[in-house]
Amino acid sequence: MNVHKVLDVKGLACPMPIVKTRKEIKSMNTGEILEVQATDKGALKDFQAWAKSSGHELLDTNETNDVLTFHIKKGE
């Protein structure tokens, strides 16, 4: 996967991972992929709902050593 930016929001609780992701993705071009690394377990549902409501595509979600990694493709 061709990741264009990586955003580290580990240690932050809801709603900060989404707030920081929204800010970061605004600076990106349509079709680019943002990797977000989070530790808040609530982020699983938050990112699914946010991507759907904001027009971005949640490509995948992985969990390794208590770190959640999300790949989000910027929509139009």
Side-chain angles (χ1 to χ4, degrees):
M1 184 174 309
N2 188 14
V3 173
H4 296 87
K5 287 189 178 182
V6 176
L7 179 63
D8 182 348
V9 294
K10 294 187 292 280
L12 298 179
C14 182
M16 291 312 295
I18 294 293
V19 170
K20 290 189 175 283
T21 299
R22 182 173 46 230
K23 182 179 179 183
E24 189 67 34
I25 211 160
K26 282 183 181 179
S27 71
M28 297 174 65
N29 295 318
T30 299
E32 289 186 331
I33 297 173
L34 174 64
E35 178 178 295
V36 182
Q37 300 168 352
T39 50
D40 179 11
K41 298 299 180 195
L44 280 169
K45 289 185 180 178
D46 292 343
F47 274 97
Q48 290 171 350
W50 174 79
K52 188 175 183 180
S53 68
S54 63
H56 305 301
E57 183 181 355
L58 182 59
L59 300 174
D60 66 27
T61 304
N62 296 303
E63 183 173 1
T64 305
N65 298 327
D66 294 325
V67 176
L68 297 163
T69 302
F70 303 92
H71 290 102
I72 304 164
K73 184 176 181 181
K74 182 175 179 172
E76 292 186 24

